[in-house]
Coordinates of all heavy atoms in Angstrom, one line a residue:
L296 N -47.0 2.7 -46.1 CA -46.3 1.5 -45.6 C -45.6 0.7 -46.7 O -44.5 0.1 -46.5 CB -47.3 0.7 -44.8 CG -47.7 1.2 -43.4 CD1 -48.8 0.3 -42.8 CD2 -46.5 1.4 -42.5
V297 N -46.3 0.6 -47.8 CA -45.7 -0.1 -49.0 C -44.5 0.6 -49.4 O -43.4 -0.1 -49.7 CB -46.8 -0.2 -50.1 CG1 -46.1 -0.7 -51.4 CG2 -47.9 -1.1 -49.8
F298 N -44.5 1.9 -49.6 CA -43.3 2.6 -50.0 C -42.2 2.5 -49.0 O -41.0 2.2 -49.3 CB -43.6 4.0 -50.3 CG -42.4 4.8 -50.8 CD1 -41.9 4.6 -52.1 CD2 -41.7 5.7 -50.0 CE1 -40.9 5.3 -52.6 CE2 -40.6 6.4 -50.5 CZ -40.2 6.2 -51.8
Y299 N -42.5 2.6 -47.7 CA -41.5 2.4 -46.6 C -40.9 1.0 -46.6 O -39.8 0.8 -46.4 CB -42.2 2.8 -45.3 CG -41.2 2.7 -44.1 CD1 -40.2 3.6 -44.0 CD2 -41.3 1.7 -43.2 CE1 -39.3 3.5 -42.9 CE2 -40.4 1.6 -42.1 CZ -39.4 2.5 -42.0 OH -38.5 2.4 -40.9
G300 N -41.8 0.0 -46.9 CA -41.3 -1.4 -47.0 C -40.3 -1.5 -48.1 O -39.4 -2.3 -48.0
A301 N -40.6 -0.8 -49.2 CA -39.6 -0.9 -50.4 C -38.3 -0.3 -49.9 O -37.2 -0.8 -50.3 CB -40.2 -0.1 -51.6
V302 N -38.3 0.8 -49.2 CA -37.0 1.4 -48.7 C -36.3 0.4 -47.8 O -35.1 0.2 -47.9 CB -37.3 2.7 -47.9 CG1 -36.0 3.3 -47.3 CG2 -37.9 3.7 -48.9
I303 N -37.0 -0.2 -46.8 CA -36.4 -1.2 -45.9 C -35.8 -2.4 -46.7 O -34.7 -2.9 -46.4 CB -37.4 -1.7 -44.9 CG1 -37.9 -0.4 -44.0 CG2 -36.8 -2.7 -44.0 CD1 -36.8 0.2 -43.2
F304 N -36.6 -2.9 -47.7 CA -36.2 -4.0 -48.5 C -34.9 -3.6 -49.3 O -34.0 -4.5 -49.4 CB -37.3 -4.4 -49.4 CG -37.0 -5.5 -50.3 CD1 -36.8 -6.8 -49.8 CD2 -36.7 -5.3 -51.7 CE1 -36.5 -7.9 -50.6 CE2 -36.4 -6.4 -52.5 CZ -36.3 -7.7 -52.0
S305 N -34.9 -2.4 -49.8 CA -33.6 -2.0 -50.5 C -32.4 -2.0 -49.6 O -31.3 -2.4 -50.0 CB -33.9 -0.5 -51.0 OG -32.7 -0.1 -51.6
W306 N -32.6 -1.5 -48.3 CA -31.5 -1.6 -47.4 C -31.0 -3.0 -47.1 O -29.9 -3.3 -46.9 CB -31.9 -0.9 -46.1 CG -32.0 0.6 -46.2 CD1 -31.7 1.4 -47.2 CD2 -32.7 1.5 -45.3 NE1 -32.0 2.7 -47.0 CE2 -32.6 2.8 -45.8 CE3 -33.3 1.3 -44.0 CZ2 -33.1 3.9 -45.1 CZ3 -33.8 2.4 -43.4 CH2 -33.7 3.7 -43.9
G307 N -32.0 -3.9 -47.0 CA -31.7 -5.3 -46.7 C -31.0 -5.9 -47.8 O -30.0 -6.7 -47.6
V308 N -31.4 -5.6 -49.1 CA -30.7 -6.2 -50.2 C -29.2 -5.6 -50.3 O -28.3 -6.4 -50.6 CB -31.4 -5.8 -51.5 CG1 -30.6 -6.1 -52.8 CG2 -32.7 -6.5 -51.6
D309 N -29.1 -4.4 -50.0 CA -27.7 -3.8 -49.9 C -26.8 -4.5 -48.9 O -25.7 -4.8 -49.2 CB -27.9 -2.3 -49.5 CG -26.6 -1.5 -49.7 OD1 -25.5 -2.1 -49.4 OD2 -26.6 -0.3 -50.1
A310 N -27.4 -4.7 -47.7 CA -26.6 -5.4 -46.6 C -26.2 -6.8 -47.0 O -25.1 -7.3 -46.8 CB -27.4 -5.4 -45.3
V311 N -27.2 -7.6 -47.7 CA -26.9 -9.0 -48.1 C -25.8 -9.0 -49.1 O -24.9 -9.8 -49.1 CB -28.2 -9.6 -48.6 CG1 -27.8 -11.0 -49.2 CG2 -29.1 -9.8 -47.4
L312 N -25.9 -8.1 -50.1 CA -24.9 -8.0 -51.2 C -23.5 -7.7 -50.6 O -22.5 -8.3 -51.0 CB -25.3 -7.0 -52.2 CG -26.5 -7.3 -53.1 CD1 -26.8 -6.1 -54.0 CD2 -26.2 -8.5 -53.9
E313 N -23.5 -6.8 -49.7 CA -22.2 -6.3 -49.1 C -21.5 -7.3 -48.2 O -20.3 -7.4 -48.2 CB -22.4 -5.0 -48.3 CG -21.1 -4.3 -48.0 CD -20.4 -3.8 -49.2 OE1 -21.0 -3.3 -50.1 OE2 -19.1 -3.8 -49.2
T314 N -22.3 -8.2 -47.5 CA -21.8 -9.1 -46.6 C -21.7 -10.5 -47.1 O -20.8 -11.3 -46.7 CB -22.6 -9.1 -45.3 OG1 -24.0 -9.5 -45.6 CG2 -22.6 -7.8 -44.6
E315 N -22.5 -10.9 -48.0 CA -22.6 -12.3 -48.5 C -22.2 -12.5 -49.9 O -21.4 -13.4 -50.2 CB -24.1 -12.8 -48.3 CG -24.5 -12.8 -46.9 CD -23.8 -13.7 -46.0 OE1 -23.2 -14.7 -46.5 OE2 -23.8 -13.5 -44.7
V316 N -22.6 -11.6 -50.8 CA -22.4 -11.9 -52.2 C -21.0 -11.3 -52.7 O -20.2 -12.0 -53.3 CB -23.5 -11.3 -53.1 CG1 -23.3 -11.5 -54.6 CG2 -24.9 -11.9 -52.6
F317 N -20.8 -10.0 -52.5 CA -19.6 -9.4 -53.0 C -18.3 -10.0 -52.5 O -17.4 -10.2 -53.3 CB -19.7 -7.9 -52.8 CG -20.7 -7.2 -53.5 CD1 -21.3 -6.0 -53.0 CD2 -21.2 -7.6 -54.8 CE1 -22.3 -5.3 -53.7 CE2 -22.2 -7.0 -55.5 CZ -22.7 -5.9 -55.0
P318 N -18.2 -10.3 -51.2 CA -16.9 -10.9 -50.8 C -16.6 -12.2 -51.4 O -15.4 -12.5 -51.7 CB -17.1 -11.0 -49.2 CG -18.2 -10.0 -48.9 CD -19.1 -10.0 -50.1
R319 N -17.6 -13.0 -51.7 CA -17.3 -14.3 -52.4 C -16.9 -14.1 -53.8 O -16.1 -14.9 -54.3 CB -18.6 -15.2 -52.3 CG -19.0 -15.6 -50.8 CD -20.2 -16.4 -50.8 NE -20.6 -16.7 -49.5 CZ -21.7 -17.4 -49.2 NH1 -22.5 -17.8 -50.1 NH2 -22.1 -17.6 -47.9
K320 N -17.5 -13.2 -54.5 CA -17.2 -13.0 -55.9 C -16.0 -12.1 -56.1 O -15.5 -12.0 -57.3 CB -18.5 -12.3 -56.6 CG -19.7 -13.1 -56.5 CD -19.6 -14.4 -57.2 CE -20.9 -15.2 -57.2 NZ -20.8 -16.5 -57.9
K321 N -15.5 -11.5 -55.1 CA -14.3 -10.6 -55.2 C -14.5 -9.5 -56.3 O -13.7 -9.3 -57.1 CB -13.1 -11.4 -55.5 CG -12.7 -12.4 -54.4 CD -11.4 -13.2 -54.8 CE -11.1 -14.2 -53.7 NZ -9.9 -15.0 -54.0
I322 N -15.7 -8.9 -56.2 CA -16.0 -7.8 -57.1 C -15.4 -6.5 -56.7 O -15.3 -6.2 -55.5 CB -17.6 -7.6 -57.2 CG1 -18.2 -8.9 -57.7 CG2 -17.9 -6.5 -58.1 CD1 -19.7 -8.9 -57.7
Q323 N -14.9 -5.7 -57.6 CA -14.2 -4.5 -57.3 C -15.2 -3.5 -56.7 O -16.4 -3.5 -56.8 CB -13.6 -3.8 -58.6 CG -12.5 -4.6 -59.2 CD -12.0 -4.0 -60.4 OE1 -12.4 -2.9 -60.9 NE2 -11.0 -4.6 -61.1
R324 N -14.6 -2.6 -55.9 CA -15.4 -1.6 -55.1 C -16.3 -0.7 -56.0 O -17.4 -0.5 -55.7 CB -14.5 -0.7 -54.3 CG -15.2 0.2 -53.4 CD -15.9 -0.5 -52.3 NE -16.8 0.3 -51.5 CZ -17.5 -0.2 -50.5 NH1 -17.5 -1.5 -50.2 NH2 -18.3 0.6 -49.8
G325 N -15.7 -0.3 -57.2 CA -16.6 0.5 -58.0 C -17.7 -0.2 -58.6 O -18.8 0.3 -58.7
V326 N -17.6 -1.5 -59.0 CA -18.7 -2.3 -59.5 C -19.7 -2.5 -58.4 O -20.9 -2.5 -58.7 CB -18.1 -3.6 -60.0 CG1 -19.3 -4.5 -60.6 CG2 -17.1 -3.4 -61.1
R327 N -19.3 -2.8 -57.2 CA -20.2 -3.0 -56.1 C -21.1 -1.7 -55.9 O -22.3 -1.9 -55.8 CB -19.4 -3.2 -54.8 CG -18.6 -4.4 -54.7 CD -17.9 -4.5 -53.3 NE -17.0 -5.7 -53.2 CZ -16.4 -6.0 -52.1 NH1 -16.6 -5.3 -51.0 NH2 -15.6 -7.1 -52.1
D328 N -20.5 -0.5 -55.9 CA -21.3 0.6 -55.7 C -22.3 0.9 -56.8 O -23.4 1.3 -56.6 CB -20.4 1.9 -55.5 CG -19.6 1.8 -54.2 OD1 -20.1 1.2 -53.3 OD2 -18.5 2.4 -54.2
S329 N -21.9 0.5 -58.0 CA -22.8 0.7 -59.2 C -24.0 -0.3 -59.1 O -25.1 0.2 -59.3 CB -22.0 0.4 -60.5 OG -20.9 1.3 -60.6
I330 N -23.7 -1.5 -58.7 CA -24.8 -2.5 -58.6 C -25.8 -2.1 -57.5 O -27.0 -2.1 -57.7 CB -24.2 -3.9 -58.4 CG1 -23.5 -4.4 -59.6 CG2 -25.4 -4.9 -58.1 CD1 -22.8 -5.7 -59.5
K331 N -25.2 -1.7 -56.4 CA -26.1 -1.4 -55.2 C -26.9 -0.1 -55.5 O -28.1 -0.1 -55.2 CB -25.2 -1.1 -54.0 CG -24.6 -2.4 -53.4 CD -24.0 -2.1 -52.0 CE -22.9 -1.1 -52.1 NZ -22.2 -0.8 -50.8
R332 N -26.3 0.8 -56.2 CA -27.1 2.1 -56.5 C -28.2 1.8 -57.5 O -29.3 2.3 -57.3 CB -26.1 3.1 -57.0 CG -26.7 4.5 -57.0 CD -25.6 5.5 -57.4 NE -24.5 5.5 -56.5 CZ -24.5 6.2 -55.4 NH1 -25.5 7.0 -55.0 NH2 -23.4 6.1 -54.6
L333 N -27.9 1.0 -58.5 CA -29.0 0.7 -59.5 C -30.1 -0.1 -58.9 O -31.3 0.2 -59.1 CB -28.4 0.0 -60.7 CG -27.4 0.9 -61.6 CD1 -26.8 0.0 -62.6 CD2 -28.2 2.0 -62.2
L334 N -29.8 -1.1 -58.1 CA -30.8 -1.9 -57.4 C -31.7 -1.0 -56.5 O -32.9 -1.2 -56.4 CB -30.2 -3.0 -56.7 CG -29.7 -4.2 -57.5 CD1 -29.0 -5.3 -56.6 CD2 -30.8 -4.9 -58.3
H335 N -31.0 -0.1 -55.8 CA -31.7 0.7 -54.8 C -32.8 1.6 -55.6 O -33.9 1.6 -55.1 CB -30.7 1.7 -54.1 CG -31.3 2.7 -53.3 ND1 -32.0 2.4 -52.1 CD2 -31.4 4.0 -53.4 CE1 -32.4 3.5 -51.5 NE2 -32.1 4.5 -52.3
Y336 N -32.4 2.2 -56.7 CA -33.3 3.0 -57.4 C -34.4 2.2 -58.1 O -35.6 2.6 -58.1 CB -32.6 3.9 -58.5 CG -31.8 5.0 -57.9 CD1 -30.4 5.1 -58.1 CD2 -32.3 5.9 -57.0 CE1 -29.6 6.1 -57.6 CE2 -31.6 6.9 -56.5 CZ -30.2 7.0 -56.8 OH -29.5 8.0 -56.2
C337 N -34.1 1.0 -58.6 CA -35.1 0.2 -59.1 C -36.2 -0.3 -58.1 O -37.4 -0.3 -58.4 CB -34.5 -1.1 -59.8 SG -33.5 -0.7 -61.3
I338 N -35.7 -0.7 -56.9 CA -36.6 -1.1 -55.9 C -37.5 0.1 -55.4 O -38.7 -0.1 -55.2 CB -35.9 -1.7 -54.7 CG1 -35.2 -3.0 -55.1 CG2 -36.8 -1.9 -53.5 CD1 -34.3 -3.6 -54.0
L339 N -36.9 1.3 -55.3 CA -37.7 2.4 -54.9 C -38.8 2.8 -56.0 O -39.9 3.1 -55.6 CB -36.8 3.6 -54.6 CG -35.9 3.6 -53.4 CD1 -35.2 4.9 -53.2 CD2 -36.7 3.2 -52.2
L340 N -38.4 2.6 -57.2 CA -39.3 2.9 -58.3 C -40.5 2.0 -58.3 O -41.7 2.4 -58.5 CB -38.6 2.9 -59.6 CG -39.5 3.2 -60.9 CD1 -40.1 4.6 -60.8 CD2 -38.6 3.0 -62.2
I341 N -40.2 0.7 -58.1 CA -41.3 -0.3 -58.1 C -42.2 -0.1 -56.9 O -43.4 -0.1 -56.9 CB -40.6 -1.7 -58.0 CG1 -39.9 -2.1 -59.3 CG2 -41.7 -2.8 -57.7 CD1 -39.2 -3.4 -59.3
G342 N -41.6 0.3 -55.7 CA -42.4 0.6 -54.5 C -43.2 1.8 -54.7 O -44.4 1.8 -54.3
L343 N -42.7 2.8 -55.4 CA -43.5 4.0 -55.6 C -44.7 3.7 -56.5 O -45.8 4.2 -56.2 CB -42.6 5.1 -56.2 CG -43.3 6.4 -56.5 CD1 -43.9 7.1 -55.3 CD2 -42.3 7.4 -57.2

């Protein structure tokens, strides 16, 4: 459940960044994908 919670939390962070943070900062698409991917792997590693 802890690891599954980390996966769900990663998806939530991804959604918040995509809908709330990135549009306001006007960050390029390539930078967005890099930040989301790195955060995703970091959260999964901490959860594991």
Side-chain angles (χ1 to χ4, degrees):
L296 288 175
V297 169
F298 183 73
Y299 182 70
V302 175
I303 298 299
F304 180 71
S305 174
W306 291 347
V308 171
D309 190 324
V311 171
L312 290 175
E313 192 66 38
T314 57
E315 300 294 336
V316 179
F317 291 152
R319 297 178 182 177
K320 300 297 182 179
K321 297 181 180 179
I322 301 176
Q323 296 180 358
R324 186 67 187 176
V326 180
R327 296 183 182 185
D328 292 335
S329 299
I330 294 175
K331 290 191 300 182
R332 194 175 300 275
L333 290 175
L334 284 177
H335 173 71
Y336 288 123
C337 289
I338 293 173
L339 290 185
L340 179 61
I341 294 173
L343 178 62

